[in-house]
Amino acid sequence: MGNLLEYSGIVTKVRAMEGKLLTPEQFTELANLGSVPEIADYLRKNTCYADALNTLEEDQIHRGNIEKVLTQSLYHDYTKLYRFCGQKQRRFMRLILKNYEIDLINYCLRIVINRYKQPFDLNHKKAFFDRYSQISIEKLITSRTTDELVENLKGTEYYAPLRKLKDAQNVTLYDYNLTLDLYFYTSTWKEQKRLLKKDDLELFMRDRGSKIDLLNLQWIYRAKKYYNMKPADIYLLLIPIHYKLSTDQVKELVESPGLEEFEAAAAKTFYSRYYNFRQDLTIEQMYAECLHHVYTVDRRRYPYSIAAINTYLFLKEEEIKKLTTVMECVRYSLNPSETLAYVGGRTR
């Protein structure tokens, strides 16, 4: 009864919002369109993105501006859910916010390291981060070097892990990204035990633990298939947390001599029922399919819990990724079947 009373309002809100997510049929219709402006027009007339897209003038209808609108839609949904949350749920929402903060820092690092002439272009994120985040966009956009960027993160939790790279030799964008990823997963894994209790903790551990395991599986597979990396180097990539993958299983996966042996080792893991490397899917699609299963099963089994919030925001993020992919495919004149193959997976 406690969970029912605690989550009834937020669950009702989530169900209403989820009803506005795009259907597989709508993605098929989008894939059959001929241009990005046609996609924008379809979204404006048929989806929940209408209000956001109506803020754009006709000469502003291009992929970059539409992606900004989609991002703002995610932030808007986060805000709506946050307002419905009690103090306990808001602590959980803070863990989710970290993912958006990491994306922001990585974007700024790409701008600085690649010395893009374009501006940081973060005005569409400023209001959200000013309200909810520890990060100051006003400071970040003044950065011209990685050292300046890291110093502009002083006072946030991301300063210390990035500061350690300052005196390292030949540091690349990949090194910064890896450092942030490792910090994100290890810190939230520790924080969840302090912020969440009982059933909510168990649910978040299952969702986050599954994601960590699947990312490690994905990274091992890529390291072997595309880069022929040695086991010692692969270990450095991995998040040092094991959920359903035991230490021995990780060792067998990393040290397998080839892809065939890797697939045989993967078939013995907990995730083999969902994560079949012999399927005609990309590694990203398999990852999304498996996570989709984990999140939606938790929501179905425990409807009055943090699973309602967690699953909705996962589905929303996946929808935005798919919409971005559809726009890119249409922009490059791929046929509908090719576009849908790139989108892959489920929409709900």
Side-chain angles (χ1 to χ4, degrees), residues 19-246:
K20 298 178 181 179
L21 292 174
L22 274 64
T23 64
E25 292 74 22
Q26 286 177 306
F27 271 98
T28 299
E29 291 172 359
L30 286 164
N32 279 276
L33 297 177
S35 69
V36 171
E38 285 182 31
I39 291 174
D41 189 55
Y42 179 95
L43 293 175
R44 186 187 289 121
K45 291 178 179 177
N46 300 286
T47 73
C48 65
Y49 298 103
D51 289 343
L53 284 166
N54 282 334
T55 64
L56 298 178
E57 301 294 336
E58 286 303 315
D59 62 350
Q60 296 177 310
I61 300 296
H62 56 76
R63 182 191 163 193
N65 283 335
I66 296 172
E67 285 187 27
K68 292 177 191 175
V69 165
L70 296 178
T71 299
Q72 286 175 314
S73 175
L74 172 63
Y75 294 163
H76 182 60
D77 284 1
Y78 179 99
T79 299
K80 286 195 287 188
L81 293 175
Y82 189 88
R83 288 172 179 167
F84 266 80
C85 287
Q87 287 303 312
K88 185 171 79 170
Q89 291 87 14
R90 287 184 175 186
R91 290 195 294 269
F92 165 70
M93 295 288 280
R94 169 63 196 151
L95 293 178
I96 293 177
L97 178 67
K98 283 190 178 188
N99 192 37
Y100 308 155
E101 292 176 330
I102 295 288
D103 285 344
L104 172 67
I105 298 171
N106 278 330
Y107 169 82
C108 292
L109 283 165
R110 285 197 300 274
I111 293 289
V112 169
I113 291 174
N114 293 318
R115 294 182 172 84
Y116 291 150
K117 293 181 180 179
Q118 66 190 63
F120 279 89
D121 195 17
L122 292 172
N123 286 339
H124 63 293
K125 296 187 176 187
K126 188 175 183 304
F128 178 80
F129 277 85
D130 284 351
R131 179 166 186 173
Y132 294 106
S133 177
Q134 59 191 301
I135 294 174
S136 168
I137 284 180
E138 284 188 7
K139 289 183 178 180
L140 290 186
I141 62 177
T142 67
S143 308
R144 293 295 175 266
T145 66
T146 52
D147 285 350
E148 286 181 12
L149 182 60
V150 172
E151 285 303 310
N152 284 329
L153 288 167
K154 199 167 187 176
T156 75
E157 62 185 288
Y158 307 107
Y159 177 73
L162 291 176
R163 180 70 175 74
K164 293 177 183 177
L165 294 175
K166 183 175 182 181
D167 298 323
Q169 297 296 315
N170 302 317
V171 181
T172 65
L173 177 59
Y174 173 80
D175 296 315
Y176 283 105
N177 292 163
L178 181 61
T179 297
L180 284 170
D181 281 343
L182 293 177
Y183 173 75
F184 171 68
Y185 287 108
T186 54
S187 65
T188 53
W189 191 255
K190 293 175 183 176
E191 281 187 67
Q192 67 185 1
K193 297 176 182 179
R194 177 172 58 83
L195 298 178
L196 303 175
K197 305 297 180 185
K198 296 181 181 178
D199 294 343
D200 282 346
L201 174 60
E202 182 181 344
L203 281 168
F204 188 73
M205 284 186 71
R206 178 154 55 243
D207 291 344
R208 183 51 54 88
S210 298
K211 187 170 186 177
I212 290 170
D213 282 349
L214 289 167
L215 280 172
N216 280 338
L217 266 172
Q218 192 174 164
W219 291 345
I220 296 169
Y221 180 79
R222 283 175 170 169
K224 288 184 171 295
K225 182 172 183 177
Y226 301 114
Y227 304 107
N228 197 29
M229 294 175 68
K230 296 179 180 178
D233 296 321
I234 296 176
Y235 281 120
L236 296 176
L237 302 176
L238 304 184
I239 303 163
I241 294 168
H242 302 154
Y243 180 58
K244 292 291 187 179
L245 292 179
S246 69

